[in-house]
Amino acid sequence: MKALLIIENDRIADIARFYLRPLGFEAVRYRNPLKALDNLDEIEPNAIVVSARDFPRHWKIITQVARARWNKDACVIVLLKGDLFPFEEAAKAVHIGVNGVARDNLDDRHEQAHFQHLLKRYVTVDESRSAERVAPSAWDRLDFIFSHPSSYSPVAGHLETVSLAGISFIPDSPALVADLEVGRLIEDCSLRAGDRILSLACAVVRSDRVLGLSIADIAEADRGYLEDYLESCPEREMRALLGRGKASD
């Protein structure tokens, strides 16, 4: 698969290329958006990553030309936005066919995960979907709590990442989980995803500041719901972005 990068900033382009590689993409990078347009048919990209900060006008033209040739499934278009990205621009991005928007701060772990997730949503990648981890954001409703298997005390904390395979979790009170060893089964766990609370059992796979848990047991219906919820992260972000813009009008 080929990814066309239209990014002027060398550092952002290098980081984007780094995170595209594990997904099976060979990156072709252009600093000049007009040259990229001239070679669009020759490249036939499976994905286009364009910087709205570097090219605030050209990204619209690039998207429109690409959409005249390929639909959203054939060519994923990801827009990298800067600190200032008004509601009108977000609305236009949705209207002309951008698949998703990510901040261009790809040094941030959450932005890295979100960037990759936008691509995984639309293309087939080599790695298993069950290993895809989502870092909860403001537009998600993801929380986790469990009952200690011996003391039965509730253990709350900060959910770092969640996937169909496992959970990374930072307890509010590390002392409560200091005795949890790798391999220990925690049968009473609750994961809120959107409007539903899912019951599951987890096994400890890492026991340090960040508690690593693998999902050992979950109802098939709940698993399907969780898969759909995690897959819809890009749509939630776009709706939230558009909603904030309308509220400010």
Side-chain angles (χ1 to χ4, degrees), residues 5-17 19 29 49-56 59 78-85 100-116 118 139 237 241:
L5 307 185
I6 308 174
I7 303 170
E8 190 172 38
N9 185 289
D10 290 337
R11 190 162 185 276
I12 294 174
D14 288 342
I15 296 174
R17 184 184 288 110
Y19 286 102
R29 188 257 185 119
V49 181
V50 58
S51 170
R53 186 198 295 268
D54 295 339
F55 309 112
W59 71 261
V78 176
L79 193 63
L80 296 181
K81 65 178 181 178
D83 297 328
L84 298 176
F85 193 70
V101 179
R103 296 185 66 84
D104 60 10
N105 179 22
L106 294 179
D107 289 316
D108 181 83
R109 183 169 62 178
H110 166 70
E111 294 304 330
Q112 295 163 7
H114 178 54
F115 174 67
Q116 287 188 317
L118 286 171
W139 52 84
E237 179 196 20
L241 184 63

Side-chain angles (χ1 to χ4, degrees), residues 73-164:
D73 292 319
C75 180
V76 184
I77 300 178
V78 176
L79 193 63
L80 296 181
K81 65 178 181 178
D83 297 328
L84 298 176
F85 193 70
F87 162 72
E88 292 78 10
E89 294 290 86
K92 183 166 289 187
V94 174
H95 178 70
I96 64 177
V98 169
N99 292 73
V101 179
R103 296 185 66 84
D104 60 10
N105 179 22
L106 294 179
D107 289 316
D108 181 83
R109 183 169 62 178
H110 166 70
E111 294 304 330
Q112 295 163 7
H114 178 54
F115 174 67
Q116 287 188 317
H117 185 76
L118 286 171
L119 294 155
K120 293 176 183 178
R121 179 73 173 85
Y122 292 94
V123 301
T124 302
V125 296
D126 293 335
E127 61 185 21
S128 170
R129 290 174 67 189
S130 66
E132 182 179 324
R133 292 187 173 273
V134 171
S137 301
W139 52 84
D140 296 317
R141 194 180 183 191
L142 286 164
D143 296 292
F144 183 71
I145 191 171
F146 66 87
S147 177
H148 190 285
S150 297
S151 68
Y152 305 106
S153 299
V155 180
H158 172 69
L159 185 63
E160 281 230 313
T161 63
V162 59
S163 73
L164 294 179

Side-chain angles (χ1 to χ4, degrees), residues 1-34:
M1 295 188 295
K2 289 183 180 179
L4 173 60
L5 307 185
I6 308 174
I7 303 170
E8 190 172 38
N9 185 289
D10 290 337
R11 190 162 185 276
I12 294 174
D14 288 342
I15 296 174
R17 184 184 288 110
F18 178 83
Y19 286 102
L20 284 164
R21 191 176 302 120
L23 305 182
F25 284 101
E26 174 190 351
V28 178
R29 188 257 185 119
Y30 281 83
R31 292 183 177 87
N32 186 322
L34 297 180

